[in-house]
Amino acid sequence: MNFRPLHDRVLVRRVTAEEKTAGGIIIPDTAKEKPQEGEVIAVGPGARNERGELVPLDVKPGDRILFGKWSGTEVKLGGEELLIMKESDVMGILENASAAKKAA
């Protein structure tokens, strides 16, 4: 399945929610909140400014990002639940997220 977002849209895969708390308590599915962290899968070419010039996005595939609780539109592509959101819905990029996860 190939999907290419248009304009300043970003395709995001949510990270999996934690199954346990730091104290070891198992969280049931009904009590879990959807994570507000994800991995960028694909990005659009960018938005156009007032002069019609293409402005590329700051995020790129592979980036770990934080986004708002109600950001984006949930879609099912290739049997997987993903989010499509505008770049303006992205709050920030988590630097060195993959290195920190491997160390843990």
Side-chain angles (χ1 to χ4, degrees), residues 2-101:
N2 289 334
F3 179 81
R4 183 175 49 100
L6 297 177
H7 309 294
D8 64 339
R9 289 185 175 77
V10 180
L11 183 65
V12 177
R13 176 185 299 127
R14 285 187 197 265
V15 296
T16 55
E18 291 295 322
E19 301 289 323
K20 286 190 210 178
T21 64
I25 298 172
I26 297 174
I27 304 169
D29 288 339
T30 55
K32 287 182 191 170
E33 287 193 24
K34 291 185 178 180
Q36 294 172 267
E37 183 178 333
E39 179 185 357
V40 176
I41 305 300
V43 297
R48 299 218 177 252
N49 63 15
E50 300 84 36
R51 290 178 276 167
E53 300 166 339
L54 192 63
V55 178
L57 302 182
D58 289 330
V59 296
K60 60 188 180 307
D63 283 347
R64 291 287 293 258
I65 60 168
L66 291 178
F67 50 86
K69 187 177 253 185
W70 308 110
S71 297
T73 301
E74 292 185 358
V75 295
K76 197 166 193 169
L77 296 171
E80 184 177 16
E81 297 226 358
L82 302 170
L83 284 169
I84 299 174
M85 65 181 70
K86 287 188 166 260
E87 186 188 36
S88 59
D89 291 338
V90 175
M91 292 185 202
I93 300 171
L94 295 168
E95 301 290 337
N96 299 326
S98 58
K101 190 174 184 181

